Amino acid sequence: MSQRLAVVDVETTGFSRRDRIVEVAAVTLDPETWEIVDEFDTLINPERDVGPVNVHGISASMVEAAPTFEEIAAALARRLHRATLIAHNLPFDARMLASEFSRLRVQFDAGLGLCTYKATRYKLQVACAQFGIPMSQQHRALGDARATAQLARTVANDFEGRRAPAKVGHIARSLNPRTHRRGDRDNPTSQLVRVVSHAYYPNSDEAVLAYLDALDWVLDDYRIDREEQTALDEIASDLGVSDETRQEAHDAYLTSIIAAAERDGVTTAAEAEIIDRVADVLGVEEVLRPEVSSLPAVDDLREGMRVCFTGQASVFGRAVKRQLLEEFSAYIGLQPVSGVTKRGCDLLVAADPSSASGKTRNARRFKIPVMSVEQFLEKLEITTLVLHRIDEG
């Protein structure tokens, strides 16, 4: 097998054609040794509700400042094109990737890859347990991709038949190395290793991209320690990236984060904090930082107020059915409604106020206050009653 090997994994809002990818990872393996030579992973803003948070653990607030699939498409395509794809349930991952590329009018052919699910006939967690492969981050794209890479190497002799590399059509958008990840606590040295591994590219444009790619990885915790700074300085020197060019790259990097934060027309306090921290770390002063958006608030919940609920709500980690929330609301004199319209809704109660769902977008557009479930129950002083009802079943 001479082609590059690319292990892919996606977390999604669901399983239908209408659903979107909320996290993607691509782990590149050396075809001869099966060793990891490159890793790419990022959360993705799906520009809609994030789906089953209880499954993938990704909340709307986590993807607020994340890039869209369009913004990371070129960087991902660079890793998938002409590589033999590997995945645990490859047909699913390939279908979701094809759907995303199709939205951009980009052709995507997964080729004939390797499916570890087909080879083992077990779900990933069970298959890894059978072969003694550690797996501590299930339903996290990078964790699943790393585990699949080890599993593929272990069962490589079970793969049969002809293989063909994936093909990704031309993407007009320039390559953007910015990602937005959950972090990597299980392998604290991998970020620095990743930085060092990106030291050489053939021309000046690639050099800047390589530097930005390295910078992106060390900024996972919104800080650059002394060791990371030394590595970045060495990379910039090896690649011939001048101090002036580096500062321009820093400005562009921060600008892309600001653009992501302003995408939905609202800049939250959390997004503003991220922007400020990154700007301070990078020493960016010239870029205009956005102010936190002023959103309508609710002082009192008056009788007869029309309230809509959205999202899969939970209180202290315990799921709360929408029917139960509506029942309590009606009991105390509020009027539950099913949709968010300009004249038919006074308040939206969301499982995650940062959600990009249609109801949340409408609420912002119509200047209707949005409140979290926890805030709603606390304001009504019924949190204990709701938890009691949950315990009763």
Side-chain angles (χ1 to χ4, degrees), residues 152-165:
R153 182 178 185 180
T154 303
V155 300
N157 292 333
D158 294 334
F159 293 125
E160 299 177 355
R162 184 170 59 89
R163 302 299 166 200

Side-chain angles (χ1 to χ4, degrees), residues 21-42:
I21 294 176
V22 292
E23 187 178 35
V24 62
V27 175
T28 303
L29 307 179
D30 183 289
E32 301 298 330
T33 65
W34 292 72
E35 296 294 331
I36 294 175
V37 296
D38 178 76
E39 289 183 344
F40 172 86
D41 86 289
T42 183

Side-chain angles (χ1 to χ4, degrees), residues 234-292:
E234 290 176 352
I235 283 179
S237 176
D238 290 343
L239 294 171
V241 178
S242 67
D243 290 344
E244 181 180 358
T245 301
R246 283 178 76 178
Q247 193 57 56
E248 292 174 353
H250 291 176
D251 292 349
Y253 182 89
L254 183 64
T255 298
S256 71
I257 294 179
I258 293 173
E262 294 180 323
R263 187 183 300 122
D264 58 2
V266 176
T267 301
T268 67
E271 290 171 332
E273 181 181 1
I274 290 174
I275 291 169
D276 286 342
R277 291 175 68 179
V278 172
D280 291 343
V281 169
L282 298 182
V284 176
E285 299 178 355
E286 299 299 325
V287 175
L288 182 62
R289 306 184 196 182
E291 296 182 358
V292 176

